[in-house]
Amino acid sequence: MKKMFLPAFLALFVSLISQPAAATLRIFACEPEWGALAKEIGGDQVSVYTATQAGQDPHHVQARPSMIARMRRADMVIATGAQLEIGWLPVLIRQAANARVQRGQPGYLAASDYVQKLGVPARVDRAMGDVHAAGNPHIQTDPRNIARVAAVLAKRLGQIDPAHAAFYQSRYQEFSRRWQDAIARWEKEAAPLKGTRIVVYHKGWNYLNRWLGLIQVGALEPVPGVPPSTSHLAQLLSKVKQQQVAMVIYAAYQNPRPSEWLAQRAGIPAVKLPFSVGGTDSAGDLFALYDDTIHRLLKAVGKSAGSPDREE
Amino acid sequence: MMSFRSTLARAALLLCAGSGFPLLLSAESSDSPDEERHHIQEELKRMQQRLLEMEQRLSEQQAVAATPAAPAGSASPNVFNPQISVILGGKYQHFSRSPGHFAVPGFLLGEAAGLDERGLALGESELNFSANVDNLFYGSLTVSLSPEGGAEVEEAYFQSLHMPFGLTLKAGRFFSGIGYLNQFHTHHDDFVDRPLPYRAFLDSQYGDEGVQIRWLAPTDTFLEFGAEVMRGDAFPSAGSAHQGAGAWDLSAHTGGDVGFSNSWKAGISWLHSTARQRDAFDGQGEPVGSYSGESQLWLADFVWKWAPNGNPVNRNFRFQSELFYRTEKGVLAGTAPAASYDGRHWGWYAEGVYRFHPRWKVGFRYSELRADNSGPAVVSGAILDDQGHIPRRASLVLGFSNSEFSRIRIQLAQDDSRRKRDYQFSMQYLMLLGAHGAHQF
């Protein structure tokens, strides 16, 4: 019995520590939009673990033990970068001790490195709140950024898994075609939104604003990362009334109450936007994310094909 | 905002000046007043459109304007400077009994186990530098500056970033990975002080010079094993026995999630240490005896965190508990002639901290200790006599943080560590300057 035990234990140990013949690439996606993109490009050649969900504030995520375990075996990490995950990703990468996903490896992809960032502060001071020195990291609010990241992702997947490089490229080509068509459609649909004045909860919509031509008049957070105070809200309310603001926008993960408070007093709609894949029931994939975002915005200005009811 | 408005006004003026000319021309050439009005209306509409476009372009420019052509400072050698963070701390404390008489009957305490002074006092200021050394190593230095002057190296270690088979190596001076709370710096805590068992069993925090190796199992469930060899200079060891390898420990931790809202971590640890003339201190910081012998500590830890949908910002709850069991077998010398002693000690604490508002949290902690000592060194009324007393302590804390970098708290404690009850009131501030510290779970 004893003689049987040792080889059996050794076999178990070896099977534990050696990677099984890589059937699929393990992708660790920090946010749902990158998880969804990895599925679009990787198809059935990748298995995707998404560390957070759209209901979570990506600035404040706890480095859970389960994430360390997933990071340990990941072949690739897709993060937003630009210091969005600075409070949790570095400690995960350090604890997981995985050579494949270290910074500088093809298995570490920071999406925001490949787009032109908005809102890079000329000066950084914590009195300005939780500012991102590298620029606004919420790049996923503009689908043209997704297109740029998709190209990089396809290349990286091919680098890590050369046997399927052609597969990833063809999937990317196919995705890219559908995506460009969708962008054209969205731009046409969203044309009436151009010049709409908005107030946001957190300065997380710079890229969306630029894409659709929305004009951001103010933010509920007095400085990024600091919850809205009553005095600041009162100030903002008078500004909203003066400047003909059409709506208040907040992300699915944010507390709706301050936005609703302001919207109610100003007599304008408060619009909850999905912000990421899964943020609302209808934003089930990348395409639906923008479909739903534009639908909700149009509805708020009363220009959708459907009822011009107020949102939420 | 002012500059934005004035630019806007200037843009509008320019627009008027630019379009005013054709406006006049059209007015001259038109004949009927109706047609004229129509023309003017058309012009107005066009102007509005252009104003809107300019406004939009301006708001875009505002966003882009601040984007420097190249990332600022990328050419300067400073980009390779380590992350620097400073922690400022201070407190006010009031005790109903003199902190100088602090003792835990039946326990030989280390130097840092006692209470601080009464009144207003500066806490330790902490200075941390950390960075990746190269593609293989990470280094961190934490210096604590005491209010009296003088600096102490709290931690100074390097750690491997990746090694084969999921191994991690750490060496230098560091806080041991045993238990749950031990490896965290005190500024991470939600209470003003460490739990009573931590103060009695580990002199508040166990850190020493040594080598640590950890192995993370390649499973979807978190499973980590760690082993350390330490110099043996820090409580509960002393005197760097075994030629400077006087303590070693093993630990295992596991953890997982229950949905997106709950996660947990649990572990067990064993610390074996040898003490050579380990001083035992009274409440005034005076040595009252010296212990030589073995000390074995078993630790079980558990933490459960709840955050609705994984969002800890508005509301979250943490439950944390650790159990301690220790045996000591050796000789106590000092005030009386040296005599042998055999001790068994238990301790536990449990705490719950609830954040009920983005800025506010409230917490409760209960700690309890028990000692069972025997041998000639146990003299009635002396240090090893537990006096039939069960040391315990309960604290209630209310914390305020304006942002994650500033924390202010008030704590009330009912301290029955010694036989006479002590009511303790504390106010504390902690200010974090500099780099974002990423925290472990």
Side-chain angles (χ1 to χ4, degrees):
Chain A
M1 194 61 202
K2 231 178 185 176
K3 272 180 193 164
M4 290 283 287
F5 179 74
L6 189 67
F9 180 79
L10 274 176
L12 180 76
F13 184 77
V14 167
S15 71
L16 266 177
I17 63 168
S18 60
Q19 297 281 327
T24 55
L25 285 185
R26 289 175 215 266
I27 311 282
F28 184 106
C30 290
E31 286 86 24
E33 60 269 19
W34 308 129
L37 186 62
K39 279 178 199 153
E40 295 279 357
I41 309 291
D44 54 6
Q45 286 303 314
V46 298
S47 68
V48 178
Y49 169 77
T50 305
T52 60
Q53 46 126 338
Q56 269 177 288
D57 182 347
H59 303 84
H60 300 280
V61 172
Q62 293 177 316
R64 301 157 178 256
S66 58
M67 294 182 189
I68 299 170
R70 297 292 186 151
M71 181 75 81
R72 154 83 163 85
R73 293 204 290 169
D75 296 298
M76 184 179 206
V77 169
I78 312 175
T80 298
Q83 301 182 348
L84 178 65
E85 299 99 345
I86 196 165
W88 51 285
L89 188 60
V91 72
L92 282 182
I93 290 183
R94 206 156 57 233
Q95 283 201 290
N98 178 346
R100 295 182 294 278
V101 298
Q102 298 291 320
R103 222 169 248 266
Q105 294 297 313
Y108 178 87
L109 173 59
S112 65
D113 288 352
Y114 299 93
V115 304
Q116 197 211 352
K117 283 183 283 297
L118 301 178
V120 180
R123 197 173 66 84
V124 188
D125 188 322
R126 282 274 156 72
M128 293 153 67
D130 194 5
V131 287
H132 298 280
N136 191 306
H138 309 292
I139 58 166
Q140 85 287 2
T141 58
D142 181 346
R144 296 170 301 180
N145 287 339
I146 300 283
R148 292 186 189 108
V149 177
V152 180
L153 178 59
K155 212 179 288 173
R156 290 285 188 90
L157 287 172
Q159 235 174 310
I160 297 170
D161 179 17
H164 295 98
F167 172 80
Y168 299 127
Q169 263 316 311
S170 80
R171 278 194 72 96
Y172 162 67
Q173 297 295 348
E174 205 260 335
F175 169 78
S176 180
R177 217 174 12 253
R178 283 188 296 139
W179 196 247
Q180 293 307 333
D181 290 349
I183 290 178
R185 176 165 54 82
W186 290 322
E187 284 177 353
K188 210 166 128 198
E189 281 172 7
L193 293 169
K194 207 168 180 190
T196 305
R197 291 157 184 275
I198 58 162
V199 160
V200 298
Y201 181 89
H202 173 74
K203 288 181 179 158
W205 305 98
N206 292 16
Y207 299 90
L208 180 79
N209 296 345
R210 187 180 58 164
W211 179 45
L212 298 182
L214 307 175
I215 297 166
Q216 184 176 312
V217 170
L220 268 72
E221 291 181 334
V223 293
V226 173
S229 63
T230 352
S231 62
H232 176 73
L233 284 182
Q235 266 179 11
L236 192 61
L237 181 61
S238 68
K239 203 166 163 189
V240 164
K241 283 180 174 162
Q242 271 169 23
Q243 302 204 20
Q244 295 168 304
V245 170
M247 63 182 102
V248 182
I249 286 175
Y250 65 97
Y253 71 80
Q254 282 149 356
N255 183 0
R257 270 183 293 178
S259 306
E260 277 162 7
W261 183 92
L262 186 75
Q264 207 178 6
R265 272 165 191 69
I268 53 173
V271 186
K272 170 177 156 179
L273 294 184
F275 195 66
S276 182
V277 174
T280 54
D281 289 342
S282 17
D285 64 23
L286 275 174
F287 290 89
L289 169 64
Y290 297 96
D291 281 338
D292 193 46
T293 300
I294 288 168
H295 172 75
R296 282 167 182 259
L297 289 171
L298 286 172
K299 205 169 155 191
V301 295
K303 292 200 175 128
S304 73
S307 66
D309 285 355
R310 254 184 215 163
E311 187 58 32
E312 311 280 302
Chain B
M1 203 59 228
M2 264 328 280
S3 70
F4 172 64
R5 282 229 186 116
S6 63
T7 342
L8 210 67
R10 237 177 296 143
L13 267 174
L14 269 171
L15 203 70
C16 286
S19 59
F21 190 54
L23 199 79
L24 285 172
L25 273 181
S26 68
E28 260 174 53
S29 60
S30 63
D31 304 329
S32 83
D34 263 1
E35 223 171 290
E36 201 174 311
R37 199 183 310 136
H38 180 72
H39 269 292
I40 292 174
Q41 274 172 348
E42 283 288 298
E43 275 304 323
L44 255 174
K45 230 182 250 173
R46 228 179 303 155
M47 267 171 64
Q48 274 173 343
Q49 183 60 32
R50 282 180 66 182
L51 192 68
L52 199 70
E53 275 169 17
M54 286 191 76
E55 215 178 346
Q56 203 178 299
R57 227 175 299 148
L58 260 171
S59 78
E60 254 175 53
Q61 272 169 6
Q62 248 201 333
V64 184
T67 314
S74 64
S76 99
N78 288 347
V79 289
F80 291 113
N81 278 356
Q83 280 190 26
I84 300 171
S85 66
V86 178
I87 289 142
L88 305 177
K91 44 187 162 178
Y92 168 80
Q93 290 193 296
H94 177 80
F95 304 124
S96 66
R97 293 187 184 279
S98 167
H101 295 140
F102 181 81
V104 184
F107 284 82
L108 301 173
L109 299 180
E111 204 172 4
L115 299 171
D116 291 324
E117 280 178 74
R118 278 168 163 162
L120 291 160
L122 187 67
E124 281 177 348
S125 312
E126 216 177 85
L127 198 59
N128 174 267
F129 302 85
S130 65
N132 286 345
V133 178
D134 54 21
N135 62 333
L136 211 54
F137 299 110
Y138 165 84
S140 173
L141 168 70
T142 308
V143 177
S144 101
L145 306 170
S146 80
E148 297 84 32
E152 192 199 336
V153 177
E154 257 187 25
E155 285 195 292
Y157 65 84
F158 78 88
Q159 181 183 319
S160 70
L161 289 171
H162 55 88
M163 289 203 327
F165 309 118
L167 293 167
T168 302
L169 177 80
K170 193 179 196 175
R173 181 184 289 182
F174 54 87
F175 293 132
S176 164
I178 59 167
Y180 172 72
L181 193 57
N182 191 67
Q183 59 187 315
F184 290 101
H185 285 255
T186 45
H187 72 254
H188 160 275
D189 296 4
D190 285 314
F191 291 81
V192 172
D193 41 22
R194 287 265 142 141
L196 189 57
Y198 261 91
R199 285 157 53 197
F201 289 97
L202 297 169
D203 201 24
S204 294
Q205 190 163 22
Y206 179 55
D208 202 348
E209 281 117 84
V211 182
Q212 178 192 68
I213 187 111
R214 285 200 315 263
W215 179 62
L216 187 60
T219 49
D220 282 348
T221 306
F222 174 80
L223 193 57
E224 191 182 55
F225 301 90
E228 292 166 354
V229 178
M230 302 294 228
R231 179 171 174 80
D233 244 347
F235 191 97
S237 52
S240 324
H242 303 289
Q243 301 180 334
W248 55 90
D249 61 73
L250 298 171
S251 61
H253 283 96
T254 180
D257 295 337
V258 182
F260 260 103
S261 301
N262 298 284
S263 19
W264 59 275
K265 191 178 177 186
I268 49 165
S269 319
W270 172 69
L271 169 67
H272 176 96
S273 49
T274 306
R276 275 192 192 154
Q277 294 174 352
R278 182 185 84 199
D279 283 337
F281 294 87
D282 67 5
Q284 273 149 338
E286 298 296 327
V288 288
S290 150
Y291 169 76
S292 298
E294 304 288 300
S295 181
Q296 299 218 46
L297 176 68
W298 285 90
L299 247 169
D301 60 272
F302 178 74
V303 58
W304 182 282
K305 292 186 186 182
W306 170 81
N309 290 319
N311 248 331
V313 178
N314 294 319
R315 277 185 311 147
N316 69 59
F317 179 75
R318 175 173 51 81
F319 173 81
Q320 172 186 327
S321 182
E322 291 181 74
L323 312 176
F324 295 71
Y325 173 68
R326 178 175 71 180
T327 58
E328 289 202 325
K329 201 179 173 72
V331 174
L332 184 68
T335 46
S340 69
Y341 124 85
D342 208 333
R344 288 187 298 157
H345 306 125
W346 297 266
W348 66 277
Y349 77 90
E351 65 181 51
V353 178
Y354 178 51
R355 178 187 273 193
F356 56 95
H357 181 274
R359 289 184 162 134
W360 294 91
K361 46 172 118 173
V362 61
F364 178 76
R365 176 198 279 163
Y366 180 80
S367 314
E368 199 174 287
L369 301 174
R370 268 162 215 259
D372 177 11
N373 299 323
S374 59
V378 185
V379 179
S380 175
I383 188 165
L384 282 173
D385 179 13
D386 64 25
Q387 303 168 28
H389 176 67
I390 297 170
R392 51 170 80 103
R393 187 183 152 88
S395 3
L396 190 64
V397 71
L398 178 69
F400 170 83
S401 20
N402 179 51
S403 70
E404 56 184 307
F405 308 106
S406 58
R407 287 165 213 172
I408 296 168
R409 59 179 71 116
I410 296 175
Q411 181 177 300
L412 294 171
Q414 176 185 301
D415 190 351
D416 290 306
S417 307
R418 47 195 144 166
R419 292 195 67 179
K420 287 181 178 163
R421 176 168 292 176
D422 185 12
Y423 290 102
Q424 302 171 347
F425 170 78
S426 318
M427 282 165 79
Q428 186 189 28
Y429 71 82
L430 281 170
M431 300 287 149
L432 284 69
L433 284 66
H436 251 283
H439 275 301
Q440 273 172 256
F441 184 82

